[in-house]
Amino acid sequence: MTEGRANHHHHYRHRRHQQYDGHHIHLHHDSMRTRRRHTNVDKAKGTKMMMMVSPSLCHDYLTTPTPRKGFSGANADGNENRIMPCEPKTASSPAPKQIVAGQSMPVEWTNGHNTGMYHLEIAPSGQDTSAGNFKRLFSAPGAATKPQGTTLTIPDDTTPGYHTMRFYWNSTLGQWDNCVDLLVIASGSKAGDGSTLSPVDNHLLQPGEYLLMSGSTPIGVYNVNTGAVTCIGGYKADGLNCVASGLAPGPAFAVALVIILLIVGVVVGALIYIKRKKPLLWYGITTKAGDIKNKITGK
């Protein structure tokens, strides 16, 4: 009797264990299905997010030289940034791209559309808050080729100093801009590379130093790191360049001196001719000159 009860009790516990095991297995499968449903929802949300973000990523924007922002068309929160004509410069903005006026540099932009027009424009720093202050240097129709770009020449007569270059895409999808900072060096300047002597103190000019020129004549040195402009030979600093101060030696001064000597020679030659050939006229000239002298001296 005792053995029978023991067997019955063991059989009952075994059945309960199977039921619980089955229940756990059932719960386990439910949990797997729940996770699958969450995963599918997450994927759907991700796809939806990609669909929401991808149009903004297709907007066209400047990439080279490195702009103030990588992309002016989207903020970190995914909203469109339509700051015109340039996004503000910040402490984290890249250092200005250095380029000598009259020289060229590669400019590239990405694009996701083949519509509208691309423009590259330049304005002095501090004047880049108004689109009307920008001077257009390049225009081209939109195209689907990726990336797009050009070789842009900075005008030879650009005033040395800091400037803002603006990439401007105008299309049926709106207007999109981003900007890059430039440091334009005086036209004709030569960048230091460790092999050119400074005319100021004969040290070898290093990167970040520029030999300022007037034609083929060195007239000074501009140091980008210190901002110092040192001029020689009758030239003085004017902004980030050297300009003639008074009678500066050079081609212009030599021409002016020759003209002055010619005028003096003509006047002296005329007086000598009159004295020899026209005595009465000479007498009248000297008499008149004497009267003028007496009036001036009070005699």
Side-chain angles (χ1 to χ4, degrees), residues 205-277:
L205 295 176
Q206 302 300 314
E209 295 181 295
Y210 288 85
L211 180 63
L212 303 176
M213 306 289 291
S214 175
S216 59
T217 304
I219 58 175
V221 172
Y222 168 49
N223 189 316
V224 173
N225 300 319
T226 64
V229 176
T230 307
C231 306
I232 62 170
Y235 286 82
K236 65 178 181 180
D238 181 19
L240 300 185
N241 198 10
C242 294
V243 297
S245 60
L247 299 177
F253 172 74
V255 171
L257 181 61
V258 169
I259 292 174
I260 293 172
L261 292 176
L262 286 174
I263 294 173
V264 171
V266 169
V267 172
V268 171
L271 292 175
I272 293 174
Y273 173 81
I274 292 172
K275 182 178 180 180
R276 290 180 179 178
K277 301 296 183 179

Side-chain angles (χ1 to χ4, degrees), residues 73-282:
N75 289 327
D77 59 3
N79 293 324
E80 301 293 354
N81 176 8
R82 304 295 294 278
I83 299 174
M84 307 299 180
C86 288
E87 63 278 6
K89 184 177 181 179
T90 66
S92 61
S93 296
K97 164 74 175 177
Q98 299 175 23
I99 183 168
V100 175
Q103 294 186 359
S104 301
M105 64 180 180
V107 178
E108 292 185 353
W109 56 89
T110 187
N111 62 315
H113 307 284
N114 57 349
T115 183
M117 292 289 294
Y118 301 126
H119 306 290
L120 295 173
E121 304 174 335
I122 190 171
S125 290
Q127 299 183 27
D128 57 6
T129 56
S130 173
N133 294 331
F134 282 83
K135 176 182 179 181
R136 187 159 295 173
L137 304 181
F138 171 85
S139 294
T145 306
K146 298 182 181 182
Q148 283 205 313
T150 187
T151 300
L152 184 71
T153 300
I154 301 300
D156 187 73
D157 60 353
T158 303
T159 302
Y162 290 91
H163 293 260
T164 301
M165 186 183 74
R166 173 195 187 200
F167 171 80
Y168 166 32
W169 175 50
N170 191 19
S171 76
T172 56
L173 301 176
Q175 175 181 327
W176 307 91
D177 315 60
N178 62 337
C179 299
V180 62
D181 295 293
L182 301 178
L183 174 54
V184 178
I185 312 298
S187 175
S189 299
K190 299 180 180 179
D193 59 2
S195 63
T196 303
L197 283 175
S198 164
V200 177
D201 55 12
N202 291 325
H203 80 276
L204 291 174
L205 295 176
Q206 302 300 314
E209 295 181 295
Y210 288 85
L211 180 63
L212 303 176
M213 306 289 291
S214 175
S216 59
T217 304
I219 58 175
V221 172
Y222 168 49
N223 189 316
V224 173
N225 300 319
T226 64
V229 176
T230 307
C231 306
I232 62 170
Y235 286 82
K236 65 178 181 180
D238 181 19
L240 300 185
N241 198 10
C242 294
V243 297
S245 60
L247 299 177
F253 172 74
V255 171
L257 181 61
V258 169
I259 292 174
I260 293 172
L261 292 176
L262 286 174
I263 294 173
V264 171
V266 169
V267 172
V268 171
L271 292 175
I272 293 174
Y273 173 81
I274 292 172
K275 182 178 180 180
R276 290 180 179 178
K277 301 296 183 179
K278 306 288 183 178
L280 292 177
L281 180 58
W282 176 254

